[in-house]
Amino acid sequence: MELSTIPQLFPAFEKELQREIQEQGEIRFYKSEEQLMRTGQYFRSTMLILNGLVKIYREDEDGNEFFMYYLQPGQACALSMVCAAEHKRSAIMAKAVKDTEIIAIPLNFMEEWMGKYKSWNHFVISTYRSRFEELLSTIDHIAFRGMDERLEFYLKKHQETMRTNLIAINHQEIANELNSSREVISRLLKKMEQFGKVKLHRNAIEIIQL
Amino acid sequence: MELSTIPQLFPAFEKELQREIQEQGEIRFYKSEEQLMRTGQYFRSTMLILNGLVKIYREDEDGNEFFMYYLQPGQACALSMVCAAEHKRSAIMAKAVKDTEIIAIPLNFMEEWMGKYKSWNHFVISTYRSRFEELLSTIDHIAFRGMDERLEFYLKKHQETMRTNLIAINHQEIANELNSSREVISRLLKKMEQFGKVKLHRNAIEIIQL
DNA sequence: TCTGAAAGGTGACGAAGGTCACAATAAGGT
DNA sequence: ACCTTATTGTGACCTTCGTCACCTTTCAGA
């Protein structure tokens, strides 16, 4: 299947680069819920998402986690680029939320291709750019918005990304991802239900109107 | 003075690139407190700091501002790169905190040099990288830490960046930069004074022990 | 020296959100 | 059908922080 997906997901890459990726990259599979990388880990490669879906979290020393953004097929983990290049520990945690297939590009090729392939260079830079903007928008939310707005935004993102109005998740997990507590999330969800924005089910939230 | 500072501040750049920067770049001066760019503005160029000091803020629609990080001589504004490249409006505000001299590189050269000069390419990427990390650390603070810790961190950054133990600033301004309120900052500072961490003066804070 | 503006201090109060304890429901396995 | 466990609901309470009102101190300029 890799033979078909790489040109499809990365059509801007030169044929030769697509071939190299297939030759040098190592395909890996992760089951849903499996961690692709842990906070504190070193990188030896950068990762391109082939299919599935990945969520990126920030963690602090006390184990609090905090959802930042999604990575979709055709995207790369900007942090793995940062860390691989600087030989630094990972500052983030990545988790598969569907069964996910990635291709890992060893650091040395990543560097080599930067000079060799214009399209790779462009890809790396535009990856930084888009993640940069995600981070800014994340900062906006936690700096300027209340938990109610953040919850709505979270649900909206989930809805758009997963393309479904029925979100299969429990309140505790949402609380973790927003670095809040279950009771608070439960209360806010209840309020949203009263406003007709969602309908609550066990282990699921149905989006009505956001 | 530009003739000497560019090779000095950007020693990794090829001689030819240094010459091009001097030829194509436009030197601009900003007085302390002057804004280098405003939220909502379009970019036609990216900026390299030659001397002085610049602070980068995030602003929301209601005019709340929020300090993110410093830019020092030899550094570039990553956001101006993002925005210039994508023809997007600025999502940030930049303000000189000392009299500051910058050199503005028009967008088309920025792109051209990416292919032409390895060192420029590397510079752009490492600018993204370091700003990326700044943003992550900013997120940490607002997501996981209370105002007390954030205030200490703010003062520490100021102290390190300005290389002085006497910070000339009033409480209201700190409150603005942390998106808090004067009273809260005053109270926290008082508490820090009781713990012997700082000594408070009018329009100034003396760092004792952080 | 006087005075007004700026800066800082303080108490009261409220809202948001975190924590605790425990009740109510629902689902799945036996 | 019954029991166990996971999930959700709820009230009480606390802390942090923002806001308001008003006071005190400091300082620069008339």
Side-chain angles (χ1 to χ4, degrees), chain A residues 96-108:
Chain A
V97 290
K98 297 181 186 172
D99 288 358
T100 293
E101 186 183 4
I102 65 120
I103 187 162
I105 311 291
L107 174 55
N108 55 312

Side-chain angles (χ1 to χ4, degrees), chain A residues 5-6 9-10 30 36-37 46-56 70-77 94-95 99-104 123:
Chain A
T5 44
I6 287 186
L9 285 172
F10 306 97
Y30 296 89
L36 281 73
M37 59 185 81
T46 193
M47 304 184 175
L48 310 186
I49 315 291
L50 295 181
N51 61 62
L53 187 62
V54 173
K55 273 176 140 175
I56 304 293
Y70 288 99
L71 283 186
Q72 308 234 19
Q75 300 187 321
C77 178
K95 196 165 74 179
D99 288 358
T100 293
E101 186 183 4
I102 65 120
I103 187 162
F123 176 72

Side-chain angles (χ1 to χ4, degrees), chain B residues 17-204:
Chain B
L17 173 56
Q18 293 177 355
R19 208 187 43 72
E20 277 217 62
I21 290 177
Q22 250 151 55
E23 241 165 57
Q24 311 296 352
E26 180 197 338
I27 305 267
R28 292 183 201 152
F29 297 91
Y30 295 90
K31 289 231 167 301
S32 180
E33 298 301 301
E34 217 179 326
Q35 288 190 359
L36 280 74
M37 59 185 81
R38 258 168 286 280
T39 307
Q41 205 177 4
Y42 282 96
F43 288 97
R44 231 165 308 284
S45 52
T46 194
M47 303 183 176
L48 310 186
I49 315 290
L50 295 182
N51 62 61
L53 187 61
V54 173
K55 274 178 141 175
I56 303 292
Y57 300 86
R58 184 78 168 142
E59 283 180 326
D60 76 349
E61 312 84 51
D62 317 335
N64 298 309
E65 64 183 32
F66 179 81
F67 168 63
M68 295 199 300
Y69 52 78
Y70 288 98
L71 283 186
Q72 307 233 21
Q75 300 187 320
C77 177
L79 252 295
S80 68
M81 293 175 174
V82 172
C83 294
E86 317 256 293
H87 304 287
K88 282 195 183 151
R89 289 162 186 285
S90 160
I92 53 137
M93 191 267 282
K95 195 165 75 180
V97 289
K98 296 182 187 172
D99 288 358
T100 293
E101 186 183 4
I102 64 121
I103 186 162
I105 312 291
L107 174 54
N108 54 310
F109 290 107
M110 194 187 137
E111 296 284 348
E112 187 190 321
W113 296 346
M114 290 287 287
K116 203 160 150 197
Y117 300 108
K118 241 192 151 88
S119 64
W120 176 256
N121 199 319
H122 189 271
F123 175 73
V124 169
I125 286 174
S126 86
T127 293
Y128 280 129
R129 264 176 205 153
S130 64
R131 292 315 120 186
F132 208 96
E133 302 205 338
E134 294 274 10
L135 283 196
L136 278 179
S137 125
T138 300
I139 286 182
D140 272 4
H141 279 88
I142 51 183
F144 299 130
R145 308 296 165 194
M147 199 50 87
D148 49 350
E149 275 190 72
R150 286 175 54 201
L151 176 57
E152 273 205 42
F153 184 78
Y154 174 86
L155 295 174
K156 208 177 293 177
K157 270 276 170 225
H158 194 123
Q159 178 193 28
E160 287 165 7
T161 309
M162 308 284 267
R163 287 200 178 66
T164 169
N165 288 328
L166 195 68
I167 301 182
I169 197 169
N170 64 40
H171 301 180
Q172 182 63 61
E173 244 185 287
I174 300 178
N176 293 342
E177 307 222 327
L178 294 177
N179 194 43
S180 175
S181 71
R182 180 188 61 82
E183 293 91 326
V184 171
I185 300 301
S186 282
R187 281 195 270 261
L188 292 174
L189 280 172
K190 184 117 291 200
K191 211 173 282 177
M192 287 175 68
E193 189 173 41
Q194 280 159 14
F195 280 109
K197 295 179 175 179
V198 297
K199 196 155 181 305
L200 301 181
H201 306 271
R202 191 185 177 79
N203 278 314

